[in-house]
Amino acid sequence: MFFLLSSIFAIISLKLKRFRFVAWVVYIILFSAWFLWYENIQPSNDKNWQKDVAVLSYATQDNNLITVHNIRNFKYITENRYEISYYNEIFDINKLRGIDFITTYWMGPNIAHTFLSFSFGDNKHLAISIEARKKVGESFSIIRGFFKESELIYVVADERDLIGLRTNIRKNPPEQVYMYKIDAKLEDKQKVFLNYIKKINSLKNRPEFYNTLITNCTTSIWDNSLVNYSNMRLNWEILLSGYTANFLYNNNLLITNSLSFKELRKKAYINPLVDYKSIEPNYSYEIRK
């Protein structure tokens, strides 16, 4: 607040010749002090985290077999009441079959939360959502997200948890969930998955800050995809995440079956497939029917 008031005074002082020089000297000193303080704020994994983001996942690899540890699989009663559960699972990178791009809307068409789910055949899936890691008592803020408010976390979870939370549990406001299939060569899908695994392990040892503009759910997907599409430029349809699926469609990165985007979006809407049902063990099958 003091810094804000001094900034206002410095602007006003432009009209006051008597105080102009002193005001700007004070302002420069205050700004320099604030900048040094801000630059010295470092991310940390040792904070009082909310329970849903308290445990970090990590992975170990033995040739083509990747063991993912601490896969979240909460059993939800309500959004804030749940049974905590984690498990470990081995994934064969050679059995990776597909990547699904999920978008979920709750505040209009412009902004969506986006994440990926990796399919390994035999109804075996791993969903990974890139989010702000919130502390106890903290709520997500777009504005505070610009200023080192929260650390970055890759939430690695069972689809029954990560997607089911959004289709079946959150009702205030309700979330509308769409699932599209990424069109890419197998080796390109493998590169993206391995990039995710590399980042998950990196964040466990070297935490980073979430940033609303440059390190958010959608720009981080774009960043992980540069391993295949190094010339894919960041544009407004990625920054305005509600339009990212449309961007993927127009750049031939979705399996479309020759449908228009309007038709594809209608088929991608998965809420009606599981509305008013409990989250069953065959949830991943149900949302793909």
Side-chain angles (χ1 to χ4, degrees), residues 6 47 56-57 64 73 78 97 116-117 141 171 178-179 188 190 195 199 232 242 246 265 277 283:
S6 65
K47 294 182 179 179
L56 290 177
S57 301
N64 59 302
N73 188 26
T78 67
R97 293 293 177 263
L116 300 183
S117 185
S141 168
K171 301 299 181 184
Y178 298 79
M179 185 168 64
D188 290 343
Q190 291 173 334
N195 240 24
K199 190 67 175 183
M232 186 168 65
N246 192 73
R265 190 173 190 271
K277 298 178 182 178
Y283 176 84

mmCIF file with all atom_site columns, all heavy atoms in Angstrom, residues 6 47 56-57 64 73 78 97 116-117 141 171 178-179 188 190 195 199 232 242 246 265 277 283:
data_model
loop_
_atom_site.group_PDB
_atom_site.id
_atom_site.type_symbol
_atom_site.label_atom_id
_atom_site.label_alt_id
_atom_site.label_comp_id
_atom_site.label_asym_id
_atom_site.label_entity_id
_atom_site.label_seq_id
_atom_site.pdbx_PDB_ins_code
_atom_site.Cartn_x
_atom_site.Cartn_y
_atom_site.Cartn_z
_atom_site.occupancy
_atom_site.B_iso_or_equiv
_atom_site.pdbx_formal_charge
_atom_site.auth_seq_id
_atom_site.auth_comp_id
_atom_site.auth_asym_id
_atom_site.auth_atom_id
_atom_site.pdbx_PDB_model_num
ATOM 1   N N   . SER A 1 6   ? 3.082   5.959   -2.787  1.00 0.00 ? 6   SER A N   1
ATOM 2   C CA  . SER A 1 6   ? 4.256   6.722   -3.239  1.00 0.00 ? 6   SER A CA  1
ATOM 3   C C   . SER A 1 6   ? 4.259   6.859   -4.755  1.00 0.00 ? 6   SER A C   1
ATOM 4   O O   . SER A 1 6   ? 4.698   7.879   -5.301  1.00 0.00 ? 6   SER A O   1
ATOM 5   C CB  . SER A 1 6   ? 5.543   6.045   -2.766  1.00 0.00 ? 6   SER A CB  1
ATOM 6   O OG  . SER A 1 6   ? 5.707   4.769   -3.364  1.00 0.00 ? 6   SER A OG  1
ATOM 7   N N   . LYS A 1 47  ? 5.474   -25.763 2.269   1.00 0.00 ? 47  LYS A N   1
ATOM 8   C CA  . LYS A 1 47  ? 4.466   -24.826 2.756   1.00 0.00 ? 47  LYS A CA  1
ATOM 9   C C   . LYS A 1 47  ? 3.263   -25.620 3.254   1.00 0.00 ? 47  LYS A C   1
ATOM 10  O O   . LYS A 1 47  ? 3.189   -26.840 3.079   1.00 0.00 ? 47  LYS A O   1
ATOM 11  C CB  . LYS A 1 47  ? 4.059   -23.838 1.648   1.00 0.00 ? 47  LYS A CB  1
ATOM 12  C CG  . LYS A 1 47  ? 5.192   -22.891 1.228   1.00 0.00 ? 47  LYS A CG  1
ATOM 13  C CD  . LYS A 1 47  ? 4.741   -21.902 0.161   1.00 0.00 ? 47  LYS A CD  1
ATOM 14  C CE  . LYS A 1 47  ? 5.876   -20.959 -0.220  1.00 0.00 ? 47  LYS A CE  1
ATOM 15  N NZ  . LYS A 1 47  ? 5.478   -19.983 -1.272  1.00 0.00 ? 47  LYS A NZ  1
ATOM 16  N N   . LEU A 1 56  ? 3.296   -34.460 -3.930  1.00 0.00 ? 56  LEU A N   1
ATOM 17  C CA  . LEU A 1 56  ? 3.833   -34.344 -5.284  1.00 0.00 ? 56  LEU A CA  1
ATOM 18  C C   . LEU A 1 56  ? 4.047   -35.725 -5.890  1.00 0.00 ? 56  LEU A C   1
ATOM 19  O O   . LEU A 1 56  ? 4.503   -36.656 -5.217  1.00 0.00 ? 56  LEU A O   1
ATOM 20  C CB  . LEU A 1 56  ? 5.159   -33.591 -5.278  1.00 0.00 ? 56  LEU A CB  1
ATOM 21  C CG  . LEU A 1 56  ? 5.107   -32.094 -4.968  1.00 0.00 ? 56  LEU A CG  1
ATOM 22  C CD1 . LEU A 1 56  ? 6.519   -31.528 -4.920  1.00 0.00 ? 56  LEU A CD1 1
ATOM 23  C CD2 . LEU A 1 56  ? 4.276   -31.349 -6.001  1.00 0.00 ? 56  LEU A CD2 1
ATOM 24  N N   . SER A 1 57  ? 3.721   -35.850 -7.155  1.00 0.00 ? 57  SER A N   1
ATOM 25  C CA  . SER A 1 57  ? 4.014   -37.081 -7.890  1.00 0.00 ? 57  SER A CA  1
ATOM 26  C C   . SER A 1 57  ? 5.444   -37.047 -8.404  1.00 0.00 ? 57  SER A C   1
ATOM 27  O O   . SER A 1 57  ? 6.060   -35.980 -8.518  1.00 0.00 ? 57  SER A O   1
ATOM 28  C CB  . SER A 1 57  ? 3.047   -37.237 -9.070  1.00 0.00 ? 57  SER A CB  1
ATOM 29  O OG  . SER A 1 57  ? 1.714   -37.275 -8.629  1.00 0.00 ? 57  SER A OG  1
ATOM 30  N N   . ASN A 1 64  ? 11.653  -48.874 -21.159 1.00 0.00 ? 64  ASN A N   1
ATOM 31  C CA  . ASN A 1 64  ? 10.366  -48.372 -21.645 1.00 0.00 ? 64  ASN A CA  1
ATOM 32  C C   . ASN A 1 64  ? 9.287   -48.353 -20.567 1.00 0.00 ? 64  ASN A C   1
ATOM 33  O O   . ASN A 1 64  ? 8.165   -47.899 -20.810 1.00 0.00 ? 64  ASN A O   1
ATOM 34  C CB  . ASN A 1 64  ? 9.871   -49.234 -22.811 1.00 0.00 ? 64  ASN A CB  1
ATOM 35  C CG  . ASN A 1 64  ? 9.701   -50.694 -22.428 1.00 0.00 ? 64  ASN A CG  1
ATOM 36  O OD1 . ASN A 1 64  ? 10.658  -51.326 -21.997 1.00 0.00 ? 64  ASN A OD1 1
ATOM 37  N ND2 . ASN A 1 64  ? 8.507   -51.235 -22.616 1.00 0.00 ? 64  ASN A ND2 1
ATOM 38  N N   . ASN A 1 73  ? -6.162  -40.266 -6.462  1.00 0.00 ? 73  ASN A N   1
ATOM 39  C CA  . ASN A 1 73  ? -7.437  -40.919 -6.785  1.00 0.00 ? 73  ASN A CA  1
ATOM 40  C C   . ASN A 1 73  ? -8.401  -40.723 -5.619  1.00 0.00 ? 73  ASN A C   1
ATOM 41  O O   . ASN A 1 73  ? -8.803  -41.676 -4.957  1.00 0.00 ? 73  ASN A O   1
ATOM 42  C CB  . ASN A 1 73  ? -7.222  -42.408 -7.064  1.00 0.00 ? 73  ASN A CB  1
ATOM 43  C CG  . ASN A 1 73  ? -8.479  -43.075 -7.599  1.00 0.00 ? 73  ASN A CG  1
ATOM 44  O OD1 . ASN A 1 73  ? -9.329  -42.424 -8.207  1.00 0.00 ? 73  ASN A OD1 1
ATOM 45  N ND2 . ASN A 1 73  ? -8.614  -44.368 -7.362  1.00 0.00 ? 73  ASN A ND2 1
ATOM 46  N N   . THR A 1 78  ? -18.134 -34.286 -1.588  1.00 0.00 ? 78  THR A N   1
ATOM 47  C CA  . THR A 1 78  ? -18.337 -32.964 -2.168  1.00 0.00 ? 78  THR A CA  1
ATOM 48  C C   . THR A 1 78  ? -16.967 -32.489 -2.635  1.00 0.00 ? 78  THR A C   1
ATOM 49  O O   . THR A 1 78  ? -15.961 -33.183 -2.452  1.00 0.00 ? 78  THR A O   1
ATOM 50  C CB  . THR A 1 78  ? -18.915 -31.956 -1.157  1.00 0.00 ? 78  THR A CB  1
ATOM 51  O OG1 . THR A 1 78  ? -17.925 -31.708 -0.132  1.00 0.00 ? 78  THR A OG1 1
ATOM 52  C CG2 . THR A 1 78  ? -20.192 -32.496 -0.513  1.00 0.00 ? 78  THR A CG2 1
ATOM 53  N N   . ARG A 1 97  ? -1.258  -45.057 -26.581 1.00 0.00 ? 97  ARG A N   1
ATOM 54  C CA  . ARG A 1 97  ? -2.127  -45.102 -27.758 1.00 0.00 ? 97  ARG A CA  1
ATOM 55  C C   . ARG A 1 97  ? -2.674  -43.730 -28.156 1.00 0.00 ? 97  ARG A C   1
ATOM 56  O O   . ARG A 1 97  ? -2.890  -43.463 -29.335 1.00 0.00 ? 97  ARG A O   1
ATOM 57  C CB  . ARG A 1 97  ? -3.300  -46.054 -27.493 1.00 0.00 ? 97  ARG A CB  1
ATOM 58  C CG  . ARG A 1 97  ? -2.867  -47.509 -27.362 1.00 0.00 ? 97  ARG A CG  1
ATOM 59  C CD  . ARG A 1 97  ? -2.349  -48.048 -28.687 1.00 0.00 ? 97  ARG A CD  1
ATOM 60  N NE  . ARG A 1 97  ? -1.861  -49.415 -28.562 1.00 0.00 ? 97  ARG A NE  1
ATOM 61  C CZ  . ARG A 1 97  ? -0.578  -49.739 -28.383 1.00 0.00 ? 97  ARG A CZ  1
ATOM 62  N NH1 . ARG A 1 97  ? 0.327   -48.783 -28.319 1.00 0.00 ? 97  ARG A NH1 1
ATOM 63  N NH2 . ARG A 1 97  ? -0.197  -50.988 -28.281 1.00 0.00 ? 97  ARG A NH2 1
ATOM 64  N N   . LEU A 1 116 ? -4.346  -32.591 -20.158 1.00 0.00 ? 116 LEU A N   1
ATOM 65  C CA  . LEU A 1 116 ? -4.210  -33.759 -21.017 1.00 0.00 ? 116 LEU A CA  1
ATOM 66  C C   . LEU A 1 116 ? -4.442  -35.040 -20.239 1.00 0.00 ? 116 LEU A C   1
ATOM 67  O O   . LEU A 1 116 ? -4.200  -35.105 -19.030 1.00 0.00 ? 116 LEU A O   1
ATOM 68  C CB  . LEU A 1 116 ? -2.807  -33.815 -21.642 1.00 0.00 ? 116 LEU A CB  1
ATOM 69  C CG  . LEU A 1 116 ? -2.358  -32.651 -22.521 1.00 0.00 ? 116 LEU A CG  1
ATOM 70  C CD1 . LEU A 1 116 ? -0.972  -32.940 -23.095 1.00 0.00 ? 116 LEU A CD1 1
ATOM 71  C CD2 . LEU A 1 116 ? -3.351  -32.364 -23.635 1.00 0.00 ? 116 LEU A CD2 1
ATOM 72  N N   . SER A 1 117 ? -4.907  -36.066 -20.965 1.00 0.00 ? 117 SER A N   1
ATOM 73  C CA  . SER A 1 117 ? -4.980  -37.409 -20.407 1.00 0.00 ? 117 SER A CA  1
ATOM 74  C C   . SER A 1 117 ? -4.350  -38.363 -21.412 1.00 0.00 ? 117 SER A C   1
ATOM 75  O O   . SER A 1 117 ? -4.673  -38.318 -22.607 1.00 0.00 ? 117 SER A O   1
ATOM 76  C CB  . SER A 1 117 ? -6.424  -37.814 -20.112 1.00 0.00 ? 117 SER A CB  1
ATOM 77  O OG  . SER A 1 117 ? -6.458  -39.078 -19.468 1.00 0.00 ? 117 SER A OG  1
ATOM 78  N N   . SER A 1 141 ? -6.513  -16.817 -7.649  1.00 0.00 ? 141 SER A N   1
ATOM 79  C CA  . SER A 1 141 ? -6.741  -15.438 -8.071  1.00 0.00 ? 141 SER A CA  1
ATOM 80  C C   . SER A 1 141 ? -5.975  -15.176 -9.351  1.00 0.00 ? 141 SER A C   1
ATOM 81  O O   . SER A 1 141 ? -4.751  -15.372 -9.398  1.00 0.00 ? 141 SER A O   1
ATOM 82  C CB  . SER A 1 141 ? -6.292  -14.458 -6.981  1.00 0.00 ? 141 SER A CB  1
ATOM 83  O OG  . SER A 1 141 ? -6.246  -13.136 -7.487  1.00 0.00 ? 141 SER A OG  1
ATOM 84  N N   . LYS A 1 171 ? -20.656 -28.288 -8.574  1.00 0.00 ? 171 LYS A N   1
ATOM 85  C CA  . LYS A 1 171 ? -21.958 -27.804 -9.033  1.00 0.00 ? 171 LYS A CA  1
ATOM 86  C C   . LYS A 1 171 ? -22.173 -26.320 -8.750  1.00 0.00 ? 171 LYS A C   1
ATOM 87  O O   . LYS A 1 171 ? -23.202 -25.774 -9.112  1.00 0.00 ? 171 LYS A O   1
ATOM 88  C CB  . LYS A 1 171 ? -23.074 -28.614 -8.362  1.00 0.00 ? 171 LYS A CB  1
ATOM 89  C CG  . LYS A 1 171 ? -23.015 -30.115 -8.643  1.00 0.00 ? 171 LYS A CG  1
ATOM 90  C CD  . LYS A 1 171 ? -23.146 -30.427 -10.133 1.00 0.00 ? 171 LYS A CD  1
ATOM 91  C CE  . LYS A 1 171 ? -23.105 -31.925 -10.405 1.00 0.00 ? 171 LYS A CE  1
ATOM 92  N NZ  . LYS A 1 171 ? -23.139 -32.234 -11.848 1.00 0.00 ? 171 LYS A NZ  1
ATOM 93  N N   . TYR A 1 178 ? -15.303 -30.924 -22.031 1.00 0.00 ? 178 TYR A N   1
ATOM 94  C CA  . TYR A 1 178 ? -15.194 -31.404 -23.400 1.00 0.00 ? 178 TYR A CA  1
ATOM 95  C C   . TYR A 1 178 ? -13.884 -32.174 -23.546 1.00 0.00 ? 178 TYR A C   1
ATOM 96  O O   . TYR A 1 178 ? -12.853 -31.779 -22.990 1.00 0.00 ? 178 TYR A O   1
ATOM 97  C CB  . TYR A 1 178 ? -15.205 -30.235 -24.383 1.00 0.00 ? 178 TYR A CB  1
ATOM 98  C CG  . TYR A 1 178 ? -16.484 -29.426 -24.358 1.00 0.00 ? 178 TYR A CG  1
ATOM 99  C CD1 . TYR A 1 178 ? -16.704 -28.480 -23.353 1.00 0.00 ? 178 TYR A CD1 1
ATOM 100 C CD2 . TYR A 1 178 ? -17.466 -29.598 -25.326 1.00 0.00 ? 178 TYR A CD2 1
ATOM 101 C CE1 . TYR A 1 178 ? -17.883 -27.743 -23.311 1.00 0.00 ? 178 TYR A CE1 1
ATOM 102 C CE2 . TYR A 1 178 ? -18.642 -28.858 -25.304 1.00 0.00 ? 178 TYR A CE2 1
ATOM 103 C CZ  . TYR A 1 178 ? -18.839 -27.941 -24.288 1.00 0.00 ? 178 TYR A CZ  1
ATOM 104 O OH  . TYR A 1 178 ? -20.011 -27.221 -24.250 1.00 0.00 ? 178 TYR A OH  1
ATOM 105 N N   . MET A 1 179 ? -13.939 -33.260 -24.309 1.00 0.00 ? 179 MET A N   1
ATOM 106 C CA  . MET A 1 179 ? -12.748 -34.084 -24.499 1.00 0.00 ? 179 MET A CA  1
ATOM 107 C C   . MET A 1 179 ? -12.513 -34.327 -25.988 1.00 0.00 ? 179 MET A C   1
ATOM 108 O O   . MET A 1 179 ? -13.374 -34.875 -26.686 1.00 0.00 ? 179 MET A O   1
ATOM 109 C CB  . MET A 1 179 ? -12.887 -35.417 -23.765 1.00 0.00 ? 179 MET A CB  1
ATOM 110 C CG  . MET A 1 179 ? -11.638 -36.278 -23.817 1.00 0.00 ? 179 MET A CG  1
ATOM 111 S SD  . MET A 1 179 ? -11.710 -37.671 -22.672 1.00 0.00 ? 179 MET A SD  1
ATOM 112 C CE  . MET A 1 179 ? -13.095 -38.581 -23.373 1.00 0.00 ? 179 MET A CE  1
ATOM 113 N N   . ASP A 1 188 ? 5.556   -38.803 -31.542 1.00 0.00 ? 188 ASP A N   1
ATOM 114 C CA  . ASP A 1 188 ? 5.335   -37.446 -31.044 1.00 0.00 ? 188 ASP A CA  1
ATOM 115 C C   . ASP A 1 188 ? 4.553   -37.471 -29.722 1.00 0.00 ? 188 ASP A C   1
ATOM 116 O O   . ASP A 1 188 ? 4.835   -36.683 -28.811 1.00 0.00 ? 188 ASP A O   1
ATOM 117 C CB  . ASP A 1 188 ? 4.581   -36.613 -32.080 1.00 0.00 ? 188 ASP A CB  1
ATOM 118 C CG  . ASP A 1 188 ? 5.431   -36.299 -33.302 1.00 0.00 ? 188 ASP A CG  1
ATOM 119 O OD1 . ASP A 1 188 ? 6.667   -36.444 -33.211 1.00 0.00 ? 188 ASP A OD1 1
ATOM 120 O OD2 . ASP A 1 188 ? 4.868   -35.920 -34.349 1.00 0.00 ? 188 ASP A OD2 1
ATOM 121 N N   . GLN A 1 190 ? 4.682   -39.881 -27.563 1.00 0.00 ? 190 GLN A N   1
ATOM 122 C CA  . GLN A 1 190 ? 5.640   -40.370 -26.572 1.00 0.00 ? 190 GLN A CA  1
ATOM 123 C C   . GLN A 1 190 ? 6.555   -39.243 -26.093 1.00 0.00 ? 190 GLN A C   1
ATOM 124 O O   . GLN A 1 190 ? 6.857   -39.140 -24.898 1.00 0.00 ? 190 GLN A O   1
ATOM 125 C CB  . GLN A 1 190 ? 6.460   -41.514 -27.161 1.00 0.00 ? 190 GLN A CB  1
ATOM 126 C CG  . GLN A 1 190 ? 5.666   -42.780 -27.406 1.00 0.00 ? 190 GLN A CG  1
ATOM 127 C CD  . GLN A 1 190 ? 6.471   -43.836 -28.154 1.00 0.00 ? 190 GLN A CD  1
ATOM 128 O OE1 . GLN A 1 190 ? 7.395   -43.518 -28.895 1.00 0.00 ? 190 GLN A OE1 1
ATOM 129 N NE2 . GLN A 1 190 ? 6.110   -45.102 -27.966 1.00 0.00 ? 190 GLN A NE2 1
ATOM 130 N N   . ASN A 1 195 ? 8.178   -35.604 -21.848 1.00 0.00 ? 195 ASN A N   1
ATOM 131 C CA  . ASN A 1 195 ? 8.425   -34.225 -21.421 1.00 0.00 ? 195 ASN A CA  1
ATOM 132 C C   . ASN A 1 195 ? 7.673   -33.921 -20.126 1.00 0.00 ? 195 ASN A C   1
ATOM 133 O O   . ASN A 1 195 ? 8.189   -33.248 -19.233 1.00 0.00 ? 195 ASN A O   1
ATOM 134 C CB  . ASN A 1 195 ? 7.980   -33.255 -22.521 1.00 0.00 ? 195 ASN A CB  1
ATOM 135 C CG  . ASN A 1 195 ? 9.117   -32.397 -23.033 1.00 0.00 ? 195 ASN A CG  1
ATOM 136 O OD1 . ASN A 1 195 ? 10.281  -32.772 -22.926 1.00 0.00 ? 195 ASN A OD1 1
ATOM 137 N ND2 . ASN A 1 195 ? 8.798   -31.255 -23.594 1.00 0.00 ? 195 ASN A ND2 1
ATOM 138 N N   . LYS A 1 199 ? 9.273   -32.942 -16.440 1.00 0.00 ? 199 LYS A N   1
ATOM 139 C CA  . LYS A 1 199 ? 8.887   -31.741 -15.706 1.00 0.00 ? 199 LYS A CA  1
ATOM 140 C C   . LYS A 1 199 ? 8.365   -32.095 -14.317 1.00 0.00 ? 199 LYS A C   1
ATOM 141 O O   . LYS A 1 199 ? 8.649   -31.387 -13.339 1.00 0.00 ? 199 LYS A O   1
ATOM 142 C CB  . LYS A 1 199 ? 7.811   -30.987 -16.489 1.00 0.00 ? 199 LYS A CB  1
ATOM 143 C CG  . LYS A 1 199 ? 7.503   -29.598 -15.933 1.00 0.00 ? 199 LYS A CG  1
ATOM 144 C CD  . LYS A 1 199 ? 8.703   -28.676 -16.101 1.00 0.00 ? 199 LYS A CD  1
ATOM 145 C CE  . LYS A 1 199 ? 8.387   -27.260 -15.660 1.00 0.00 ? 199 LYS A CE  1
ATOM 146 N NZ  . LYS A 1 199 ? 9.509   -26.342 -15.877 1.00 0.00 ? 199 LYS A NZ  1
ATOM 147 N N   . MET A 1 232 ? 5.543   -23.707 -33.560 1.00 0.00 ? 232 MET A N   1
ATOM 148 C CA  . MET A 1 232 ? 4.170   -23.349 -33.194 1.00 0.00 ? 232 MET A CA  1
ATOM 149 C C   . MET A 1 232 ? 4.199   -22.116 -32.291 1.00 0.00 ? 232 MET A C   1
ATOM 150 O O   . MET A 1 232 ? 4.627   -22.185 -31.142 1.00 0.00 ? 232 MET A O   1
ATOM 151 C CB  . MET A 1 232 ? 3.476   -24.515 -32.478 1.00 0.00 ? 232 MET A CB  1
ATOM 152 C CG  . MET A 1 232 ? 1.998   -24.257 -32.198 1.00 0.00 ? 232 MET A CG  1
ATOM 153 S SD  . MET A 1 232 ? 1.109   -25.740 -31.681 1.00 0.00 ? 232 MET A SD  1
ATOM 154 C CE  . MET A 1 232 ? 1.903   -26.087 -30.109 1.00 0.00 ? 232 MET A CE  1
ATOM 155 N N   . GLY A 1 242 ? -10.190 -20.625 -23.605 1.00 0.00 ? 242 GLY A N   1
ATOM 156 C CA  . GLY A 1 242 ? -11.479 -21.106 -24.077 1.00 0.00 ? 242 GLY A CA  1
ATOM 157 C C   . GLY A 1 242 ? -11.502 -21.383 -25.565 1.00 0.00 ? 242 GLY A C   1
ATOM 158 O O   . GLY A 1 242 ? -12.384 -22.090 -26.061 1.00 0.00 ? 242 GLY A O   1
ATOM 159 N N   . ASN A 1 246 ? -10.312 -24.778 -30.566 1.00 0.00 ? 246 ASN A N   1
ATOM 160 C CA  . ASN A 1 246 ? -10.526 -24.265 -31.920 1.00 0.00 ? 246 ASN A CA  1
ATOM 161 C C   . ASN A 1 246 ? -9.192  -24.060 -32.640 1.00 0.00 ? 246 ASN A C   1
ATOM 162 O O   . ASN A 1 246 ? -9.057  -24.346 -33.839 1.00 0.00 ? 246 ASN A O   1
ATOM 163 C CB  . ASN A 1 246 ? -11.297 -22.953 -31.860 1.00 0.00 ? 246 ASN A CB  1
ATOM 164 C CG  . ASN A 1 246 ? -11.810 -22.513 -33.223 1.00 0.00 ? 246 ASN A CG  1
ATOM 165 O OD1 . ASN A 1 246 ? -12.741 -23.078 -33.761 1.00 0.00 ? 246 ASN A OD1 1
ATOM 166 N ND2 . ASN A 1 246 ? -11.155 -21.495 -33.794 1.00 0.00 ? 246 ASN A ND2 1
ATOM 167 N N   . ARG A 1 265 ? -17.315 -30.332 -31.469 1.00 0.00 ? 265 ARG A N   1
ATOM 168 C CA  . ARG A 1 265 ? -17.472 -29.844 -30.094 1.00 0.00 ? 265 ARG A CA  1
ATOM 169 C C   . ARG A 1 265 ? -18.705 -30.465 -29.439 1.00 0.00 ? 265 ARG A C   1
ATOM 170 O O   . ARG A 1 265 ? -18.679 -30.808 -28.252 1.00 0.00 ? 265 ARG A O   1
ATOM 171 C CB  . ARG A 1 265 ? -17.578 -28.322 -30.089 1.00 0.00 ? 265 ARG A CB  1
ATOM 172 C CG  . ARG A 1 265 ? -17.506 -27.683 -28.713 1.00 0.00 ? 265 ARG A CG  1
ATOM 173 C CD  . ARG A 1 265 ? -17.459 -26.167 -28.835 1.00 0.00 ? 265 ARG A CD  1
ATOM 174 N NE  . ARG A 1 265 ? -17.142 -25.553 -27.550 1.00 0.00 ? 265 ARG A NE  1
ATOM 175 C CZ  . ARG A 1 265 ? -18.041 -25.209 -26.638 1.00 0.00 ? 265 ARG A CZ  1
ATOM 176 N NH1 . ARG A 1 265 ? -19.336 -25.409 -26.887 1.00 0.00 ? 265 ARG A NH1 1
ATOM 177 N NH2 . ARG A 1 265 ? -17.679 -24.648 -25.504 1.00 0.00 ? 265 ARG A NH2 1
ATOM 178 N N   . LYS A 1 277 ? -24.847 -39.764 -12.191 1.00 0.00 ? 277 LYS A N   1
ATOM 179 C CA  . LYS A 1 277 ? -24.340 -41.090 -11.880 1.00 0.00 ? 277 LYS A CA  1
ATOM 180 C C   . LYS A 1 277 ? -23.199 -40.955 -10.880 1.00 0.00 ? 277 LYS A C   1
ATOM 181 O O   . LYS A 1 277 ? -22.528 -39.935 -10.815 1.00 0.00 ? 277 LYS A O   1
ATOM 182 C CB  . LYS A 1 277 ? -23.819 -41.794 -13.142 1.00 0.00 ? 277 LYS A CB  1
ATOM 183 C CG  . LYS A 1 277 ? -24.870 -42.040 -14.210 1.00 0.00 ? 277 LYS A CG  1
ATOM 184 C CD  . LYS A 1 277 ? -24.242 -42.704 -15.425 1.00 0.00 ? 277 LYS A CD  1
ATOM 185 C CE  . LYS A 1 277 ? -25.262 -42.921 -16.524 1.00 0.00 ? 277 LYS A CE  1
ATOM 186 N NZ  . LYS A 1 277 ? -24.654 -43.530 -17.735 1.00 0.00 ? 277 LYS A NZ  1
ATOM 187 N N   . TYR A 1 283 ? -15.496 -45.460 -15.285 1.00 0.00 ? 283 TYR A N   1
ATOM 188 C CA  . TYR A 1 283 ? -15.746 -44.055 -15.646 1.00 0.00 ? 283 TYR A CA  1
ATOM 189 C C   . TYR A 1 283 ? -15.052 -43.696 -16.971 1.00 0.00 ? 283 TYR A C   1
ATOM 190 O O   . TYR A 1 283 ? -15.653 -43.052 -17.844 1.00 0.00 ? 283 TYR A O   1
ATOM 191 C CB  . TYR A 1 283 ? -15.251 -43.136 -14.530 1.00 0.00 ? 283 TYR A CB  1
ATOM 192 C CG  . TYR A 1 283 ? -15.382 -41.667 -14.833 1.00 0.00 ? 283 TYR A CG  1
ATOM 193 C CD1 . TYR A 1 283 ? -16.569 -40.990 -14.603 1.00 0.00 ? 283 TYR A CD1 1
ATOM 194 C CD2 . TYR A 1 283 ? -14.314 -40.944 -15.361 1.00 0.00 ? 283 TYR A CD2 1
ATOM 195 C CE1 . TYR A 1 283 ? -16.705 -39.632 -14.889 1.00 0.00 ? 283 TYR A CE1 1
ATOM 196 C CE2 . TYR A 1 283 ? -14.431 -39.598 -15.646 1.00 0.00 ? 283 TYR A CE2 1
ATOM 197 C CZ  . TYR A 1 283 ? -15.624 -38.943 -15.403 1.00 0.00 ? 283 TYR A CZ  1
ATOM 198 O OH  . TYR A 1 283 ? -15.747 -37.614 -15.693 1.00 0.00 ? 283 TYR A OH  1
#
